[in-house]
Amino acid sequence: MAKGSKNFYFPIFCAAWVPLAHLAPTPLEEQGEEEAREQGWEPGPIAVLAGGGGGEGKTGVPNALLLSRFEVQTLDLSDQPVFRLDTDGDVPYRMAVHPRGDGIICAFPMDCRWFEWNFSGKKVHNLALKSSEKKLTTLEGVGLQNALAFNAEGSTLATGGEDGHLRVFKWPSMEIILDQTDVHTTVRDLDFSADAKSLVSLGNSGPCRVWDLTSSKVEVNLPREDGEVFGFCKFGRNADNTQLLYITAMHGDHGKIITWNTESWKRIGAKRIIRGAISAFDVSTDCKLLAIGTVGGDILVLTSSNMRVQKMIRKAHFGNVTAVVFSQDSRFLISASFDCTARVTPIEGKKKNGLSVQLIIFVILLAIMALHQHKRGYESLGFGSF
């Protein structure tokens, strides 16, 4: 098995990074990277979260949420999970991690449940999950929610049902902001804008809808072109900090990414990326990278500014990729699959110890060129070679 990849012996439907910085701040968060390193601090392990299972019945395949340790130095996942929480006969199909460390919400076949972190120390191996006493009564018996999302501040929660029902709540009060049935035939994906004033939703058919959360009304419907089937939606931004919207689509036998201007709501770009369907999608926190997973098990990382493929791993998984998620610092990508594996992929060229790989290579080349020029000048003065 490839480095950074582990088999957890049940189909994985969802994955995420644990917000350790909000659970137990390291010297990096408390003092800043330069000062922390001067005092001998080195990057420690990161924790990842995965959920899935074999479903109802006596399949012999358990349903569970598990936590695994990722070693930054060795770029590998731990052989055994740090913690495992069995969910009995219910599969956790979707999850959303609260960005400020409150806990996680998971979507099960009939309802959503809240889980809290149980952290007894500052070491990853002390990390655990527990079922919360907080009951999400408004999400009991509502059926499977295909999409869950918190806004960046963690003050708003959105859920999108298999039945096409869209709900938006204030968090943690669960006060209703928007409650709309038949938004789509089935809701497939949701995402909040950076300022949390807008929410985008899409389904397997029909237009993509942008909601104004101030008025709780549709701001704009984004139409499909003939033959397009929308898949996933994520907000991003370009180099001048202008907000964009990315939508993946299946068009014929190709998967493509469409870019929308969020002021005019006009299409400003569309590019075919792969032959076949896109089964997972994410935008990095710094919005410089896009990641996709495919039904064939491939993973691609693209530069958002030009849609060029920066990294491609064919057959990263041997089944449908169910999740791709960038780490908070955009240095790593976790992916998961029906083939029971989770994989962490390092993103080449991201900053480490303050310098990128490309910058280091560039400086070395400049030094070699300068030495070569100096040598030629030395020889032209008749001093011979050195």
Side-chain angles (χ1 to χ4, degrees), residues 19-33 36 41 328-329:
L20 283 177
H22 293 284
L23 301 179
T26 68
L28 178 63
E29 288 83 30
E30 294 174 340
Q31 303 170 2
E33 183 170 353
W41 178 84
Q328 187 65 27
D329 61 6

Side-chain angles (χ1 to χ4, degrees), residues 36 68 71 129 164 178 188 220 236 270 278 298 315 355:
S68 182
E71 293 288 351
L129 277 173
L178 189 155
R188 179 157 187 184
V220 65
I278 295 171
D298 301 336
K315 298 300 179 184
L355 292 174

